[in-house]
Amino acid sequence: MEIKVNFLDNLRLEAKFDDFTVITDQPIRYKGDGSAPSPFDYFLASSAMCAAYFVKVYCKARDIPTENIRLSQNNIVDPENRYNQIFKIQVELPEDISDKDRQGILRSIDRCTVKKVVQTGPEFDIEVVDNLDDDAQAMLMVDTEAGQETYITGKDLPLEQTIANMSQIMADLGMKIEVASWRNIVPNVWSLHIRDAASPMCFTNGKGATKESALASALGEFIERLNCNFFYNDQYFGEELANAEFVHYPDEKWFKPGDDDALPAGILDDYCLDIYNPDGELCGSHLIDTNSGNVARGIVSLPFTRHSDGETVYFPSNLIENLFLSNGMSAGNTAEEAQVQCLSEIFERAVKKEIIENEIVLPEVPEAVLAKYPSIKAGIDALEAQGFPVVVKDASLGGQFPVMCVTLMNPRTGGVFASFGAHPSFEVALERSLTELLQGRSFEGLNDVPPPTFNSTAVSEPNNFVEHFVDSTGVISWRFFSEAEEYDFVEWDFTGEGTNKAEVDVLMGILSDMGKEVYIANYSDLGANACRILVPGYSEVYPVEDLIWDNTNKALAFREDILNIHRLSDDQLASLVERLENSEQDEQSDIRTLIGVEFDENTVWGQLTILELKGLIYLAIGDYESAKEMVESFLQYNDNTVARGLFYQAMNATLEIAINDELDYMDYDRNLRRMFGNEVMDAVVGSINGDVKFYGMEETNMQLEGLDRHLRLLDSYKKLHAARAKACSGR
């Protein structure tokens, strides 16, 4: 069969064969318009649909109904060769189908033409011709030996058992985890990206010196984030969960704000209140959680154990989600193993922040010390051989903290990337610094790191630390590379007696000596040991002031009206746009972040900003002057799809005509339609005269109808919710 391909606008392609046309595109994140699946997506879908076709043919010939037959396919990616994949096809059959027909259906799937062609291995003959018309076309894959047991420092079980246990936990929860990518660009440094096949917004990255350790890392991080609800941070849970017996955890408590919106008694303790409410400005309404938005129910708070005396202290969920992000979360084979990782992570980030903000000059690790760790040295040497100078530094601040730093320079771009790692073991902290440096990165990806600066303000700016927290791509000071070291090198060791229990005691002792209170929540309801540790005044990622000035529960002022926007009256729309104007929100912020709802990124909703929404509201209420101002700003600053940009170009011209008494639209109609097309101009004219409202935005509501991406995320959360409810009832 001959397939002819035409190049359309941007990255869209058109394939024509027989009487059919297939359009492909690329997602917006890859600079496409997200208007159609990618070619590779079609390829994957073709094999699944081909298998389903042969099932249908078999059943139709035997009058077997297919309403209750389900089929799915997942591609399992080889970590060492991403072009080597296994297509895993699974079929769910009703119980009343006979064993004979079950075997027949499986044999029919084996007849799949796509499968047979792929298995045979097609050859590709690529050539240039003068004239086409004359010359006419995730899953987890790590092999381990049976009975093999690989122990690494800090883990209480062998990697093979750890991977098996965590994989079983996922299976028991009904989650199918797939590997999206593997990286191994230098020796002894592996990383991978895994995600929930049903809800790809739930994803984690893993890193390690081997495939197995990287996979265990990724699975551990996934389980940690499930237990701590991190995947659902800031997301709207919907009305059903908001009114359920519990929203987050069965042991949560709800507190009603006092008179005049005062903080209720029972939340936090005096130590925390001194940190989070130093000036008495924090109100009860600041602490309503974004997830439920249930103002009538009050402030949902989660129990943590105060380490100093074992007392229970309730922390508002809102406070945790606003200030801590994922800092101080971990999972492990044992509770102590998880706590060591939590505390190590807290020290890593706090010390990193202190070093970067104060432009501290660290001592380099002597070559003789690096030589003690040949596998780590091999990775560093490989980076050097690729033309990336590497500086390895002791970040313990004179032996006070279990932290190391590996910094990479990129002479091609002048950029630098400082990666920190922490663990009671010097070797493990050093290895983590190196693997963190290359986690999910190619050599080309290292071209995106920023150059250093002598601008102290840029280095100490709070958002710079957030960038360092998210992916270590914040700015660092040129002073960091000075040889005027402020501390002597220390070949430190915080392992104590070498057990995780002893290491927890050592790390807790450091915090105690600093005068810090530590609060711990241990989780095991999902079948794994996980914990979250908060160190108020030390482990926050965002500034405490955000509770008052940039709280995520600002969503509550807008969420309901925005989701119901197609049904609002003009007065309600005018009120909404006034609140948006007065809220001082960044106009380029997207609506999904503002209201905590995940939209398909390839839709208008998914790309919608506060600026664009305000413009559409002004159009809907007939305020053309304000609408034009928004449209002009959109065209100047907004990076949206080609189609959306053309709509606003047409809108800008038409609004100019509409607000100018000396111009008559009909004088321009024919040529505007020749320029932009009838479909666009019908939408533009309709938006101005009131026949079309909120062009391109599909109707939804507080029940999230049609928002499949967000509903898949909620389905993921409901699996955890059900597991917690079951575990609670079994106690």
Side-chain angles (χ1 to χ4, degrees), residues 345-360:
E345 189 176 81
I346 287 169
F347 280 120
E348 172 195 322
R349 285 151 179 179
V351 173
K352 176 181 181 178
K353 181 179 182 182
E354 181 178 352
I355 290 168
I356 291 172
E357 289 186 353
N358 295 316
E359 302 174 279
I360 295 173

Side-chain angles (χ1 to χ4, degrees), residues 11 120 122 164 197 278 308 353 390 414 526 636 654 681 703 731:
L11 299 181
T120 302
S308 61
K353 181 179 182 182
V390 175
L526 303 182
Q636 184 174 2
T654 308
M681 288 312 302
Q703 287 69 49
R731 290 181 187 139

Side-chain angles (χ1 to χ4, degrees), residues 232-237 242-243 247-248 252-258 260-264 267-268 281-302 315-323 546-548 550-559 594-596 702:
Y232 319 99
N233 213 37
D234 306 337
Q235 301 291 338
Y236 178 46
F237 283 174
N243 293 288
V247 174
H248 300 268
E252 69 193 23
K253 280 190 177 180
W254 293 77
F255 298 84
K256 292 288 186 69
D260 298 322
D261 202 17
L263 294 180
I267 63 169
L268 303 174
E281 295 180 329
L282 189 64
C283 299
S285 58
H286 290 134
L287 299 177
I288 302 297
D289 72 305
T290 309
N291 303 117
S292 74
N294 198 332
V295 177
R297 199 168 180 179
I299 301 168
V300 59
S301 300
L302 311 179
F315 280 75
S317 170
N318 171 285
L319 184 148
I320 297 170
E321 74 179 36
N322 269 283
L323 301 184
D546 279 7
L547 289 175
I548 296 173
D550 194 22
N551 197 303
T552 57
N553 73 7
K554 60 181 176 285
L556 309 187
F558 306 108
R559 180 186 287 153
L594 175 66
I595 66 173
M702 285 291 283

Side-chain angles (χ1 to χ4, degrees), residues 195-237:
R195 63 192 181 198
D196 181 354
S199 179
M201 296 84 76
C202 301
F203 65 86
T204 58
N205 300 300
K207 59 185 183 293
T210 65
K211 297 190 297 290
E212 293 81 7
S213 60
L215 177 56
S217 167
L219 289 170
E221 185 173 288
F222 203 99
I223 288 175
E224 134 203 330
R225 296 186 175 204
L226 289 177
N227 277 278
C228 297
N229 287 350
F230 181 73
F231 290 135
Y232 319 99
N233 213 37
D234 306 337
Q235 301 291 338
Y236 178 46
F237 283 174

Side-chain angles (χ1 to χ4, degrees), residues 95 106 194 201 243 323 326 364-365 414 446 474 547 555 609 666 686 698 711:
E95 293 182 358
L106 292 178
I194 64 173
M201 296 84 76
N243 293 288
L323 301 184
S326 65
E364 291 195 28
V365 178
L446 295 172
L547 289 175
T609 62
M666 293 311 298
E698 297 293 330
L711 292 174

Side-chain angles (χ1 to χ4, degrees), residues 99-362:
D99 289 339
K100 178 182 177 181
D101 284 328
R102 287 173 182 269
Q103 293 303 313
I105 288 171
L106 292 178
R107 286 194 299 271
S108 73
I109 294 174
D110 201 54
R111 294 173 56 205
C112 169
T113 310
V114 174
K115 179 179 85 68
K116 289 185 177 294
V117 171
V118 172
Q119 285 178 323
T120 302
E123 292 185 5
F124 288 82
D125 186 5
I126 303 170
E127 62 179 357
V128 175
V129 298
D130 293 332
N131 190 309
L132 285 175
D133 293 330
D134 293 340
D135 298 278
Q137 189 155 159
M139 308 319 270
L140 312 176
M141 189 176 184
V142 172
D143 296 327
T144 55
E145 296 180 11
Q148 180 178 346
E149 291 189 344
T150 306
Y151 284 89
I152 62 174
T153 303
K155 298 299 179 185
D156 291 325
L157 289 176
L159 288 174
E160 294 79 9
Q161 187 61 51
T162 300
I163 292 169
N165 291 348
M166 291 191 288
S167 299
Q168 188 59 54
I169 289 169
M170 301 295 191
D172 292 344
L173 286 171
M175 291 185 173
K176 187 176 292 185
I177 304 303
E178 61 183 9
V179 174
S181 64
W182 284 92
R183 295 280 187 185
N184 174 221
I185 62 175
V186 299
N188 309 315
V189 179
W190 287 84
S191 68
L192 75 160
H193 178 86
I194 64 173
R195 63 192 181 198
D196 181 354
S199 179
M201 296 84 76
C202 301
F203 65 86
T204 58
N205 300 300
K207 59 185 183 293
T210 65
K211 297 190 297 290
E212 293 81 7
S213 60
L215 177 56
S217 167
L219 289 170
E221 185 173 288
F222 203 99
I223 288 175
E224 134 203 330
R225 296 186 175 204
L226 289 177
N227 277 278
C228 297
N229 287 350
F230 181 73
F231 290 135
Y232 319 99
N233 213 37
D234 306 337
Q235 301 291 338
Y236 178 46
F237 283 174
E239 294 176 338
E240 178 186 348
L241 284 170
N243 293 288
E245 184 176 352
F246 67 92
V247 174
H248 300 268
Y249 300 94
D251 57 359
E252 69 193 23
K253 280 190 177 180
W254 293 77
F255 298 84
K256 292 288 186 69
D259 294 338
D260 298 322
D261 202 17
L263 294 180
I267 63 169
L268 303 174
D269 57 14
D270 290 341
Y271 177 88
C272 293
L273 287 170
D274 285 344
I275 294 171
Y276 299 124
N277 191 29
D279 301 317
E281 295 180 329
L282 189 64
C283 299
S285 58
H286 290 134
L287 299 177
I288 302 297
D289 72 305
T290 309
N291 303 117
S292 74
N294 198 332
V295 177
R297 199 168 180 179
I299 301 168
V300 59
S301 300
L302 311 179
F304 282 74
T305 300
R306 191 166 56 206
H307 182 69
S308 61
D309 59 9
E311 289 296 314
T312 298
V313 176
Y314 282 89
F315 280 75
S317 170
N318 171 285
L319 184 148
I320 297 170
E321 74 179 36
N322 269 283
L323 301 184
F324 291 93
L325 294 185
S326 65
N327 199 18
M329 304 186 331
S330 190
N333 294 296
T334 63
E336 291 81 10
E337 181 184 310
Q339 289 175 17
V340 168
Q341 175 56 25
C342 274
L343 292 166
S344 297
E345 189 176 81
I346 287 169
F347 280 120
E348 172 195 322
R349 285 151 179 179
V351 173
K352 176 181 181 178
K353 181 179 182 182
E354 181 178 352
I355 290 168
I356 291 172
E357 289 186 353
N358 295 316
E359 302 174 279
I360 295 173
V361 183
L362 301 174

